[in-house]
Amino acid sequence: MHEFELINNYFQKLSKKSPGALNLNDDVFFDKKNKLVVSVDTYTEGSHFIDFKKPDLVIKKIIRSSISDLICKGVKPKYYFISGSGNKKSFSKSNLSKISKALNQEQNKYKIFLSGGDTVFSNKLSFTITAIGFANDIVYRNKAKINDDIYVSGNLGDSYLGLLVLRNKLKLNHQLQKYFINQYFMPNIQLQLTKKIKKFANTSIDISDGLLADLDKMINNQKFSYKLFLKDIPISNNLKKLLDLKKLSKIKYVSNGDDYQVLFTASKNKSGIIKKIASNCRVKLTKIGLIQGISKQSIIVDDKNTQISLKKKGYLHKF
Amino acid sequence: MHEFELINNYFQKLSKKSPGALNLNDDVFFDKKNKLVVSVDTYTEGSHFIDFKKPDLVIKKIIRSSISDLICKGVKPKYYFISGSGNKKSFSKSNLSKISKALNQEQNKYKIFLSGGDTVFSNKLSFTITAIGFANDIVYRNKAKINDDIYVSGNLGDSYLGLLVLRNKLKLNHQLQKYFINQYFMPNIQLQLTKKIKKFANTSIDISDGLLADLDKMINNQKFSYKLFLKDIPISNNLKKLLDLKKLSKIKYVSNGDDYQVLFTASKNKSGIIKKIASNCRVKLTKIGLIQGISKQSIIVDDKNTQISLKKKGYLHKF
C-alpha cells in the first residue's frame, strides 16, 4: 500500500474535525486561530539515513529536513522536539556528545530551541522530530493558478550525488566526494525565504522525495498539468562539471529527493519582485517551468523542446 | 545510563533558551506567551506494549497515556499527531481498520482531533504521539509545599495486574482477567479533572512509571521527603478481593506503573474543596500521605505505622 492510500483510506476522515490538519494533504498542520504551525516527521536508520557512523551529520540532516517543512510554507521554525529510539551503542557517551554538539550548532544557525522529546530503548534506531512555528498565514499546497511560473530555490541533485558516493555507487576525487556528501547531510535550506515567500508564492512544497514527485504532490487536488524545462533546472557547478565529464544524463540526477529546496508557483507578474527578493535575501530562485490546464499533459522537455520520458519520479513510500 | 542522566548531561543545556521546556524536567512543554502546551512520547513494541495482537487496544493505551501528560497538568488535550513505524503485517488493512476505529472512539470520548503525523516503513513497530493543548497556566512539578497532603486520583495497581495476566504470570477466572486486561489497555484517565485541578493542586504528575518513582520525580528538585500510608492507597474492589484471596502483599501491586492516574499535592486547607470537586466531577480523589521536610526520610508505613522497605520503586528507563 502506498503511503497516500493509507492516509486517505484510514486516517483522513479522522482529521475532518481538525480544520488545521488540512485533510492530511499538506506539509504542515496550521491552526489559524492559535497561529500554530506543526510538522511531525520520523526518520529511521536504513531508510531515511544509511547508518549512524556520523551521528552529528545524521542529526543535522534530520533537523534540516524537519524545519524545511515549515520554511517552505513561509513559517519560521521556533521549537523542536526530538524523540529518539536507540540502544546503548547508538546512544553511547561519544555519540550523545556529538548529537548534542550538532544540535547546538543547528540551534544557533537556525534560531530554533530544543523544547522536549523522549528517549526510549530500541534496537532499531529512529528519530521523530516535531517542529513548531507561529504564523498568521501560510502558503498552502494546491493553490497554483493556471499559467503560473514554477520556481525552485537553490540547486537540485547534489544531495543525491552524495548518497551515491556514500553507497559506493560512484567514485570521485576526494574534494568532490566531500562536497556532495556535505550537501547530502547538510542541505542549504532557505531560512531567509520564510519572511518573503508569502509575498509572491501561490502554492509551495519542499522537495524531499524528488522534484517531479513533489511537484505532483503540490498540485494533487488541482486539475492542472505542468511543463518543465530540463535546461533551466538549477544545478551546482560541481554537478554540471561531473555530468559533462562522465556524460551523464541530467534528468537522472535532479529528481531523486533529499534536496530540501523550496518549490513554488507564482503569477507571471511577480517575476520582478521575485528577482528583487532573491537578490536581497541572497537566495537563488530559478524559474523552471509553468502550470498548464488539464487538457495538456504534464511534461518535461529538453533543449530541443522534445519531451523526455521518465521511469521514476522520485521516492515512493510503501508498506 | 539512566534516562534522566542522558537528558541532564546532553540535552538540558540545549533547552536553556526555551523557557517553556522547563529544563526538560516536567511532563510537558509550556509556552506561556502562546498558551501552548506540548507533550511528545514514543511507544515501542516489546517495551511499552507487549505485542500488536490487539491493535485497537494498543492504540487506545498509547493515546490515553499521551494525553494523560496534559491532563495531570490541568490542560485539556486538543490535537494529537501520530507517527507510526511499522511493516506490512503491522499495518495490514485489517489492522489499519482497527486502528482507525479505535482512534475514532478515543476522539469522541476525549474530544481530541487527529491533526497530522507520519508513517514510515520499519520492521520494529513503534509510535510517537505528539499531544497539544492550550492553557493560560499549568500545574508544575517541584512546587510542593511542606505539610502538603498527597493525593491520587482513581485506583492504582489494576493495570499492573492486567500486565501480569497478559504475560501469563497470573491465572484468574475469565471475568477478572478481562477486568484487569481492560484496565491495562484502557486506563480511566481523568479528563474531567483538567478544569479543576488548578484550584487546589500545588504540584502534579501522572503515574506512568509507578507511584513511588513518579512521586520522587514530582519533587526531584525540592528538598522534601514524603510519608505514605499504604492502607490509604486506593485500589479497586477486584484488586482488594484478589489480594485477600491470594494473601498477596499490597505494596507489591500498587507501584508498578501504567496507571495514568493523577498524583498531586495540596495544602491542608484545600481538603474541603477537593472533596466537593471530587464529588461534583465524579472523580475519586484519595489522600494517601504528606510532604515532610528534608530532615525526615521518605517512607511508606503499614497499618501499624511500621516502615515498609522496598526493593523497587517502579519502572526505570535505561540505555
Side-chain angles (χ1 to χ4, degrees):
Chain A
M1 199 181 319
H2 300 315
E3 190 185 19
F4 64 88
E5 211 183 318
L6 182 153
I7 292 170
N8 288 355
N9 293 350
Y10 300 98
F11 296 105
Q12 204 176 59
K13 62 187 173 218
L14 295 171
S15 76
K16 289 286 176 212
K17 286 185 183 167
S18 181
L22 309 173
N23 282 319
L24 305 180
N25 186 35
D26 214 310
D27 302 270
V28 295
F29 162 86
F30 175 45
D31 174 351
K32 200 161 182 154
K33 195 187 132 213
N34 292 295
K35 304 181 195 302
L36 178 69
V37 185
V38 184
S39 158
V40 177
D41 291 286
T42 295
Y43 307 88
T44 56
E45 185 174 8
S47 170
H48 299 82
F49 54 96
I50 303 170
D51 55 42
F52 209 47
K53 283 177 197 155
K54 300 186 176 185
D56 47 341
L57 296 182
V58 169
I59 286 295
K60 288 188 180 195
K61 182 176 174 62
I62 67 177
I63 289 290
R64 292 185 193 193
S65 159
S66 293
I67 64 176
S68 170
D69 276 330
L70 271 63
I71 288 171
C72 77
K73 307 270 112 183
V75 180
K76 204 183 154 320
K78 184 165 184 184
Y79 303 124
Y80 71 98
F81 300 73
I82 183 163
S83 191
S85 306
N87 59 21
K88 251 187 173 164
K89 201 181 152 203
S90 306
F91 293 161
S92 66
K93 286 185 181 182
S94 156
N95 279 1
L96 286 167
S97 287
K98 285 176 190 165
I99 292 170
S100 181
K101 202 176 156 193
L103 287 175
N104 192 41
Q105 287 168 350
E106 297 302 285
Q107 295 203 161
N108 291 332
K109 191 172 174 75
Y110 298 109
K111 309 293 172 233
I112 51 175
F113 308 106
L114 178 63
S115 297
D118 199 359
T119 45
V120 305
F121 177 86
S122 171
N123 277 320
K124 174 84 184 176
L125 181 64
S126 77
F127 296 93
T128 295
I129 310 285
T130 302
I132 289 182
F134 300 92
N136 291 313
D137 209 350
I138 67 167
V139 183
Y140 295 87
R141 283 192 198 170
N142 286 303
K143 300 274 183 185
K145 291 179 182 156
I146 205 158
N147 296 324
D148 267 8
D149 289 321
I150 300 170
Y151 287 84
V152 71
S153 70
N155 292 317
L156 302 186
D158 283 353
S159 179
Y160 179 59
L161 270 286
L163 181 65
L164 292 178
V165 171
L166 287 166
R167 285 197 171 145
N168 294 316
K169 291 187 176 171
L170 191 67
K171 281 272 173 217
L172 301 172
N173 69 47
H174 178 73
Q175 201 191 339
L176 273 183
Q177 293 212 161
K178 198 178 162 190
Y179 169 80
F180 289 120
I181 288 173
N182 276 343
Q183 293 301 308
Y184 171 78
F185 282 121
M186 295 176 287
N188 291 318
I189 56 172
Q190 311 290 358
L191 183 67
Q192 61 280 50
L193 257 190
T194 54
K195 280 187 192 165
K196 306 292 182 184
I197 190 169
K198 277 171 267 180
K199 290 189 197 294
F200 50 76
N202 287 329
T203 198
S204 71
I205 194 170
D206 71 324
I207 300 177
S208 54
D209 293 338
L211 170 64
L212 300 175
D214 288 313
L215 179 49
D216 278 343
K217 258 188 250 165
M218 185 172 73
I219 54 172
N220 63 0
N221 286 340
Q222 294 193 288
K223 294 188 170 173
F224 289 152
S225 62
Y226 57 79
K227 181 175 185 180
L228 291 188
F229 302 96
L230 181 61
K231 71 172 167 39
D232 296 334
I233 295 173
I235 57 174
S236 66
N237 287 333
N238 280 332
L239 181 51
K240 198 173 295 172
K241 269 187 244 167
L242 188 72
L243 294 180
D244 289 345
L245 190 75
K246 301 214 171 197
K247 300 204 167 118
L248 301 172
S249 157
K250 183 178 178 184
I251 187 63
K252 290 187 179 162
Y253 293 86
V254 291
S255 183
N256 301 282
D258 274 350
D259 302 296
Y260 303 107
Q261 292 302 327
V262 184
L263 183 69
F264 64 92
T265 80
S267 307
K268 291 209 176 295
N269 62 17
K270 299 283 187 186
S271 66
I273 190 176
I274 290 173
K275 263 186 199 156
K276 203 174 146 191
I277 286 173
S279 159
N280 287 347
C281 295
R282 294 180 190 178
V283 182
K284 183 173 171 181
L285 295 178
T286 312
K287 196 191 293 184
I288 59 170
L290 71 155
I291 296 290
Q292 311 175 126
I294 187 69
S295 61
K296 297 192 176 175
Q297 205 190 339
S298 283
I299 53 166
I300 176 161
V301 297
D302 65 14
D303 297 10
K304 293 157 197 156
N305 210 29
T306 308
Q307 187 177 339
I308 297 163
S309 72
L310 279 176
K311 281 184 186 149
K312 198 175 167 235
K313 287 185 167 187
Y315 190 80
L316 201 61
H317 299 270
K318 274 183 82 172
F319 289 91
Chain B
M1 199 181 320
H2 301 314
E3 190 185 17
F4 64 88
E5 212 182 316
L6 182 153
I7 292 169
N8 289 354
N9 293 349
Y10 301 98
F11 296 104
Q12 204 176 60
K13 62 187 173 220
L14 295 170
S15 76
K16 288 288 177 208
K17 285 186 184 167
S18 181
L22 308 173
N23 283 317
L24 303 181
N25 187 35
D26 215 310
D27 302 87
V28 294
F29 163 85
F30 175 45
D31 173 350
K32 200 162 182 151
K33 195 187 131 212
N34 291 296
K35 303 181 196 304
L36 178 68
V37 185
V38 184
S39 158
V40 178
D41 291 286
T42 295
Y43 306 89
T44 56
E45 184 174 9
S47 171
H48 300 84
F49 54 96
I50 302 170
D51 56 42
F52 209 47
K53 284 177 196 156
K54 299 186 176 186
D56 48 339
L57 295 181
V58 169
I59 286 297
K60 289 188 178 194
K61 183 176 174 62
I62 68 178
I63 289 290
R64 292 186 193 192
S65 159
S66 292
I67 63 176
S68 170
D69 276 329
L70 270 64
I71 289 171
C72 77
K73 308 271 111 183
V75 180
K76 205 180 154 318
K78 183 165 183 184
Y79 303 125
Y80 71 99
F81 300 73
I82 182 164
S83 190
S85 307
N87 59 20
K88 253 188 172 163
K89 201 181 153 203
S90 306
F91 294 160
S92 67
K93 286 186 180 180
S94 155
N95 280 0
L96 286 167
S97 287
K98 285 176 191 165
I99 291 170
S100 181
K101 201 175 157 192
L103 287 175
N104 192 41
Q105 288 169 350
E106 297 303 286
Q107 293 203 161
N108 291 331
K109 191 172 172 76
Y110 297 109
K111 310 289 173 237
I112 52 176
F113 308 106
L114 178 64
S115 297
D118 199 0
T119 46
V120 305
F121 177 86
S122 171
N123 277 320
K124 174 85 183 176
L125 181 65
S126 77
F127 296 94
T128 295
I129 311 285
T130 302
I132 289 183
F134 299 92
N136 291 312
D137 209 352
I138 67 167
V139 182
Y140 296 87
R141 284 193 197 170
N142 286 303
K143 299 276 183 183
K145 290 179 182 156
I146 205 159
N147 296 324
D148 267 8
D149 289 321
I150 299 170
Y151 286 83
V152 71
S153 70
N155 293 317
L156 302 186
D158 282 354
S159 179
Y160 179 59
L161 270 287
L163 180 66
L164 292 179
V165 171
L166 286 166
R167 284 197 172 145
N168 294 315
K169 290 189 175 170
L170 191 68
K171 280 271 173 219
L172 301 172
N173 69 46
H174 179 73
Q175 201 190 340
L176 273 184
Q177 292 212 159
K178 198 177 162 191
Y179 169 80
F180 289 120
I181 288 173
N182 276 343
Q183 293 300 308
Y184 170 78
F185 282 121
M186 295 176 286
N188 292 317
I189 56 172
Q190 311 289 358
L191 183 68
Q192 60 279 50
L193 256 190
T194 52
K195 279 187 190 164
K196 305 293 183 183
I197 190 169
K198 278 170 265 180
K199 289 189 197 295
F200 50 76
N202 287 329
T203 198
S204 70
I205 194 170
D206 72 323
I207 300 177
S208 55
D209 294 338
L211 170 64
L212 301 176
D214 288 311
L215 179 48
D216 277 343
K217 257 188 253 166
M218 185 172 72
I219 55 172
N220 63 1
N221 286 340
Q222 295 193 287
K223 294 189 169 171
F224 289 152
S225 62
Y226 57 79
K227 181 176 184 178
L228 291 187
F229 302 97
L230 180 61
K231 71 171 169 36
D232 296 334
I233 295 173
I235 57 174
S236 66
N237 286 334
N238 279 332
L239 181 51
K240 198 174 293 170
K241 270 188 242 164
L242 187 72
L243 295 180
D244 289 347
L245 189 75
K246 302 214 169 195
K247 299 204 166 117
L248 301 172
S249 156
K250 184 179 176 183
I251 187 63
K252 289 186 180 164
Y253 293 86
V254 291
S255 183
N256 301 284
D258 274 350
D259 302 297
Y260 302 108
Q261 292 302 327
V262 184
L263 183 69
F264 64 93
T265 80
S267 308
K268 290 208 177 298
N269 62 17
K270 299 283 186 186
S271 65
I273 190 177
I274 290 173
K275 263 185 198 154
K276 204 174 144 188
I277 286 173
S279 160
N280 287 348
C281 295
R282 293 180 190 179
V283 182
K284 184 173 170 182
L285 295 177
T286 311
K287 197 191 292 184
I288 59 169
L290 72 156
I291 296 290
Q292 311 176 125
I294 188 69
S295 60
K296 297 190 177 177
Q297 205 190 339
S298 283
I299 53 167
I300 176 160
V301 298
D302 66 13
D303 297 9
K304 292 156 196 157
N305 210 29
T306 308
Q307 188 179 338
I308 298 164
S309 71
L310 281 177
K311 279 184 187 151
K312 196 175 169 235
K313 286 186 167 186
Y315 190 81
L316 202 59
H317 300 269
K318 274 182 83 173
F319 290 89

